[in-house]
Amino acid sequence: MHVKRSSPAAKLAMVLSLVSLVGVVNAVEAKVNVHHRLEVETGAGKVKVRVLIENRGDAPVWIPREIALGDDLSAPRFALSSLTDTVAYTGRMVKRGPLNAADYLEIKPQTTYLNTLDITQAYAFKPGQHSYEIRYAGPWVTDLRKLDAGGIKSSPALPVKFSHTVRMAAR
């Protein structure tokens, strides 16, 4: 059996063409890397949730405007639970259709965005001192033309545990 060996110049040309092909693929697919983080501040009878959104990628992403700019909620955006059960959402409910492009805010590449929401009146916190855990699914989109279930991505924030005291009303 005879094996024909490639010349060093042919090997170099093949390696260079493969490297350039990888560069083209990377240029087409922008890196998207979105992280959400929650912080909870309690005190003075309030529960305030800071939502930190980091777009560590190379392309813009869009997040729900209510989370990005709002100061209260119009639907149960967080999953809240105590040690024994789920804490009911009791805040205002705005009846509306699915979110559309106007309901999202652009977060530019390599940008961090922070917003604080007061959820004190939005959830049924129990009287007395209790421990809670809050979760956020972290939805975002890369293309406002694809707002269906397949176009919405998520980067869930790690759950945060906190304690909150609701003072009993004097009778």
Side-chain angles (χ1 to χ4, degrees):
M1 178 193 266
H2 178 63
V3 177
K4 184 176 179 183
R5 296 185 183 238
S6 300
S7 69
K11 287 180 184 176
L12 178 61
M14 183 170 49
V15 168
L16 289 175
S17 62
L18 285 174
V19 169
S20 66
L21 180 60
V22 169
V24 169
V25 170
N26 286 340
V28 172
E29 293 182 21
K31 182 181 97 177
V32 179
N33 190 358
V34 179
H35 292 267
H36 286 81
R37 189 172 73 221
L38 298 178
E39 296 174 352
V40 178
E41 176 186 333
T42 60
K46 301 274 185 190
V47 178
K48 294 184 179 182
V49 178
R50 280 188 292 280
V51 182
L52 181 84
I53 302 109
E54 297 176 86
N55 180 359
R56 299 177 183 171
D58 300 329
V61 298
W62 287 264
I63 62 170
R65 190 172 290 276
E66 180 177 30
I67 294 297
L69 298 174
D71 54 6
D72 66 350
L73 300 174
S74 63
R77 305 293 180 210
F78 301 101
L80 192 62
S81 60
S82 69
L83 294 175
T84 57
D85 56 1
T86 300
V87 178
Y89 177 78
T90 57
R92 68 186 178 104
M93 293 287 286
V94 176
K95 188 174 180 177
R96 52 164 298 151
L99 298 180
N100 60 43
D103 296 315
Y104 286 88
L105 177 73
E106 179 182 9
I107 305 297
K108 297 193 180 304
Q110 302 301 318
T111 301
T112 299
Y113 198 86
L114 174 72
N115 188 34
T116 302
L117 298 132
D118 183 347
I119 66 165
T120 311
Q121 301 303 316
Y123 289 88
F125 292 101
K126 298 177 194 175
Q129 183 174 3
H130 297 278
S131 295
Y132 297 95
E133 182 175 89
I134 188 168
R135 296 175 178 270
Y136 177 64
W140 52 277
V141 296
T142 57
D143 186 343
L144 290 177
R145 296 169 297 187
K146 297 179 182 175
L147 295 177
D148 60 353
I152 298 175
K153 301 175 181 4
S154 67
S155 57
L158 291 174
V160 173
K161 294 180 188 243
F162 66 97
S163 179
H164 175 59
T165 302
V166 174
R167 304 277 179 225
M168 303 278 210
R171 290 182 181 208

